[in-house]
Amino acid sequence: ACRDVGQGRAKPAEILGTTLTGKAAREMQERLYELIGWQSRQVPVMTFHAFGAELLGRYASHIGRSVRGGLLKDSQKTLLLQQHLNRVELEYFGPQDDVYEFVEGVVGYIGQLQNAAITAAKYSEYVAGLKTNSDDKHPSEIAEQADLARLYTLYEEIKKETGSYYYSDQLTLPLEILQNRPNLAERLAQEYKYVLVDEYQDTNAVQDALLRTFVGPTGNIFAVGDDDQAIYGFRGAEINNILAFA
């Protein structure tokens, strides 16, 4: 892409640079400056979450979503679900000595599901399958999963009602938007004709899927990474993203 810029075949603004941290984004910007000079300032280089937040600001209304409530902090997301806990009847989980601690654990589990690109709808579908084919599952196991599905669904409903979103939603919501509005994916494909991804070994399923929605099989994606340096497995990083890169 940098050679194409130098030869006038690509515009700097048509290149999207993505990475995982603000520090890495700054380093990528510095490398681009060394390669193409002042034109690097026209190249949008940002973290995945910053890119997702930008897409949310542009396109949330296309799926009827408001973002007026803003980004939730860790404590806020737990309190939000705790305040509305009485809206669901739980079969497995009984009264809790520490409700905040219980909800905090549930929200953490939901975060793991989101990093793996498992939506509340998919999780509820999984639980429905357990109920249908329950021969090898203890009834209490199914009841537990059913409660978690109810809580996950409630959590998503509350965020939608309040126009709020969490850190992981900056990826999952844009992915939902692009999957449900392919016209917007085509619009992004026209806007960003070259995509550069740094630290690819630490991307998770959602981050990879987000790029794939608009890069497509005929697009230009250049990924840099080292499978020996994968460090974000605890955040849902999927090493197969780089091992099976195509």
Side-chain angles (χ1 to χ4, degrees):
C2 292
R3 183 172 62 250
D4 288 335
V5 169
Q7 297 177 358
R9 290 198 300 268
K11 298 175 183 177
E14 294 176 335
I15 304 169
L16 171 67
T18 58
T19 188
L20 296 170
T21 66
K23 180 177 182 291
R26 289 189 295 273
E27 290 173 351
M28 183 186 284
Q29 192 77 62
E30 290 168 2
R31 287 195 219 98
L32 283 171
Y33 181 79
E34 293 171 0
L35 290 167
I36 59 176
W38 64 270
Q39 293 182 93
S40 64
R41 293 195 296 270
Q42 300 171 22
V43 178
V45 176
M46 62 192 95
T47 65
F48 276 99
H49 286 84
F51 177 56
E54 183 178 304
L55 294 183
L56 267 184
R58 287 197 217 176
Y59 301 137
S61 62
H62 288 248
I63 58 168
R65 185 84 182 215
S66 168
V67 291
R68 71 183 183 279
L71 181 65
L72 294 167
K73 297 178 182 178
D74 283 342
S75 58
Q76 290 174 320
K77 65 177 181 176
T78 302
L79 287 171
L80 188 67
L81 182 55
Q82 181 180 351
Q83 289 166 358
H84 295 269
L85 200 58
N86 59 356
R87 286 169 52 174
V88 293
E89 291 186 15
L90 302 178
E91 297 177 9
Y92 177 82
F93 293 105
Q96 301 290 320
D97 289 336
D98 189 326
V99 178
Y100 183 89
E101 182 181 17
F102 167 68
V103 175
E104 187 177 38
V106 170
V107 172
Y109 180 64
I110 290 172
Q112 293 176 27
L113 294 173
Q114 289 183 316
N115 285 336
I118 300 172
T119 64
K122 284 183 180 178
Y123 197 62
S124 296
E125 185 179 330
Y126 160 73
V127 171
L130 287 179
K131 292 179 178 179
T132 304
N133 305 293
S134 58
D135 294 342
D136 59 342
K137 291 286 185 182
H138 192 282
S140 294
E141 174 76 14
I142 298 173
E144 178 190 6
Q145 293 301 310
D147 277 0
L148 290 170
R150 292 185 185 98
L151 291 166
Y152 191 179
T153 299
L154 174 64
Y155 182 58
E156 294 304 305
E157 288 174 352
I158 298 167
K159 285 188 295 182
K160 187 172 183 179
E161 290 167 8
T162 58
S164 56
Y165 54 94
Y166 184 56
Y167 188 66
S168 56
D169 295 315
Q170 291 178 314
L171 299 174
T172 56
L173 285 177
L175 177 58
E176 178 186 343
I177 291 168
L178 296 181
Q179 288 176 335
N180 287 279
R181 293 289 184 266
N183 59 305
L184 299 180
E186 290 181 11
R187 193 178 300 178
L188 281 178
Q190 290 300 313
E191 182 176 353
Y192 300 120
K193 295 178 180 174
Y194 300 88
V195 177
L196 309 178
V197 191
D198 195 17
E199 303 295 347
Y200 195 70
Q201 76 279 353
D202 285 322
T203 55
N204 62 31
V206 178
Q207 290 162 334
D208 186 63
L210 181 61
L211 294 180
R212 299 290 182 174
T213 55
F214 67 91
V215 170
T218 60
N220 295 283
I221 181 168
F222 187 95
V224 178
D226 181 353
D227 59 319
D228 286 334
Q229 294 186 34
I231 60 172
Y232 287 125
F234 67 96
R235 291 184 184 172
E238 179 52 70
I239 191 67
N240 281 332
N241 285 350
I242 191 169
L243 296 180
F245 181 78

